[in-house]
Amino acid sequence: MAIARVEASEVERAVEGALEICDYAVLAVSGGLDSMVLLTAASRVPAKRRKITVATFDHGTGSAAGRAAALVARYAAQLGIACVTGRASTVGTKEEEWRRGRWAFLRQVASANAAGVVTAHTRDDQIETVFMRILREAGPRGLAGLYAESEIIRPFLDIGRSKLEEHARVHGVPYVQDPTNRDRRHLRNRIRLDLLPSIVARNPGFPDELLTLARQAATWRRSLEDIAGTVEAEPQDGGALRISRSSLAGYDAASLRVLWPALAARASVVMDRRGTHRAAQFTISGATGGTIQLSGGVEILMRRDHMLLRRWRLPSLGRMQSQVRT
């Protein structure tokens, strides 16, 4: 959710607008520049201060991660804002593992406080995300990137990272440089450090072209959600989704390949291209009692009058511990 107010006090106005959206906010703060600017700007909104909790997550990936979490807790205390620190007891090695662990923790904190999650994603993050999804052959649904409708509040989504860097300099915002941000083993870093600069040097309008594509994809995605809303689907225990077979009857394979990712999203499942094609074909030709397994530990079961989408094994997020510091 973007707050598009570009004025003299752009950063602070954007954060103030974000905090007005929800009664209680959980600020996702990593200790890096962007999120520490978010925390600093939020602390300058006195009327909202008591409706803020900071959440920071130590991935356990090294001393830098520990220093970042400690800085967040210390700085939040100086600002008089409650801080919850989560720690992963097992160390992942992939970006996706880090993301899953972090978001499981953030949702836990938000649920405990009936709060909305506010992140520091910037315009640059959106550009990188869309480009990364193009490289991974994402469909229109995925190309919306951070423009997709979400409960997550992103006040900086229309603000470039350079603006936050300027804000940090002017206000003396403390932050930790994460050394993993320059590790080219991670695709996002290669995109940010190498691929995008090379392309932009030859085509300066490329970032705007990516953002235009993402906006068009987000519009398409909203239209699809309306169509998917006509399909009878009910949440089940354990995060499963029960989908009426009669609601899907009559759709051809191409239409089902468009519908299935939207349906899967209701169960917090992201379908890749292969899974989407397999789900569409199974819907048309699968026999009652049959089952197909998809990537990510997901399966679809065919029953007499419905299909059941569920996880057959849960990804290991590691045990997490949290403590509250004020």
Side-chain angles (χ1 to χ4, degrees):
M1 189 181 302
I3 311 299
R5 294 183 64 178
V6 183
E7 299 177 19
S9 304
E10 187 175 14
V11 170
E12 291 175 358
R13 289 180 182 275
V15 173
E16 182 179 4
L19 296 180
E20 290 176 352
I21 292 175
C22 51
D23 294 331
Y24 199 107
V26 169
L27 306 184
V29 182
S30 67
L33 185 147
D34 298 350
S35 62
M36 291 297 278
V37 167
L38 171 66
L39 173 54
T40 302
S43 73
R44 294 172 178 267
V45 186
K48 302 292 182 180
R49 183 172 298 176
R50 294 184 180 180
K51 297 182 179 180
I52 296 171
T53 290
V54 172
T56 189
F57 189 74
D58 181 352
H59 298 91
T61 53
S63 59
R67 288 198 306 272
L71 172 63
V72 173
R74 188 166 60 249
Y75 191 51
Q78 292 174 5
L79 297 174
I81 300 174
C83 178
V84 181
T85 301
R87 293 182 178 87
S89 61
T90 59
V91 181
T93 58
K94 298 180 179 179
E95 291 175 277
E96 181 60 22
E97 293 174 338
W98 299 342
R99 189 191 70 82
R100 287 203 307 264
R102 180 173 64 253
W103 276 104
F105 166 70
L106 289 173
R107 291 189 176 100
Q108 181 185 48
V109 176
S111 176
N113 292 279
V117 176
V118 182
T119 73
H121 290 112
T122 66
R123 179 180 184 270
D124 298 77
D125 290 314
Q126 169 69 338
I127 292 168
E128 293 164 10
T129 296
V130 176
F131 188 49
M132 184 163 59
R133 293 189 179 180
I134 289 174
L135 295 180
R136 289 176 171 170
E137 299 184 331
R141 181 178 176 82
L143 292 177
L146 303 179
Y147 287 159
E149 289 189 2
S150 168
E151 294 180 354
I152 301 166
I153 302 167
R154 300 182 173 99
F156 298 154
L157 199 52
D158 290 330
I159 299 176
R161 190 171 289 133
S162 61
K163 288 278 187 178
L164 301 192
E165 292 171 348
E166 178 184 358
H167 189 90
R169 284 196 303 271
V170 170
H171 295 281
V173 177
Y175 64 92
V176 171
Q177 289 278 11
D178 184 352
T180 65
N181 287 337
R182 302 197 68 81
D183 186 344
R184 285 176 167 81
R185 288 176 296 179
H186 304 303
L187 176 59
R188 183 179 289 273
N189 290 345
R190 295 197 300 274
I191 288 172
R192 183 179 65 255
L193 299 173
D194 301 321
L195 296 178
L196 276 175
S198 178
I199 294 172
V200 171
R202 294 163 176 77
N203 178 11
F206 186 65
D208 289 330
E209 292 169 6
L210 290 178
L211 295 177
T212 297
L213 174 64
R215 291 189 182 94
Q216 293 171 343
T219 299
W220 181 91
R221 180 169 173 158
R222 284 191 293 271
S223 299
L224 177 59
E225 295 292 347
D226 292 338
I227 297 172
T230 65
V231 176
E232 184 181 338
E234 299 177 356
Q236 304 291 294
D237 292 340
L241 188 70
R242 185 182 190 275
I243 304 163
S244 167
R245 288 180 66 174
S246 62
S247 294
L248 297 177
Y251 286 107
D252 60 17
S255 299
L256 288 168
R257 287 195 293 270
V258 170
L259 279 174
W260 262 111
L263 293 172
R266 299 189 194 179
S268 299
V269 169
V270 177
M271 278 191 171
D272 59 20
R273 180 185 294 270
R274 182 170 181 270
T276 300
H277 280 250
R278 292 188 66 208
Q281 189 58 42
F282 186 60
T283 303
I284 294 171
S285 59
T288 298
T291 302
I292 60 169
Q293 292 183 344
L294 309 178
S295 62
V298 175
E299 65 181 0
I300 302 176
L301 294 76
M302 187 72 75
R303 297 293 186 250
R304 183 177 61 82
D305 61 351
H306 70 276
M307 301 177 73
L308 188 68
L309 173 71
R310 69 183 185 187
R311 294 189 182 277
W312 58 271
R313 61 175 174 81
L314 293 175
S316 175
L317 300 178
R319 296 177 59 189
M320 294 178 294
Q321 299 173 333
S322 64
Q323 62 185 42
V324 178
R325 295 176 180 152
T326 59

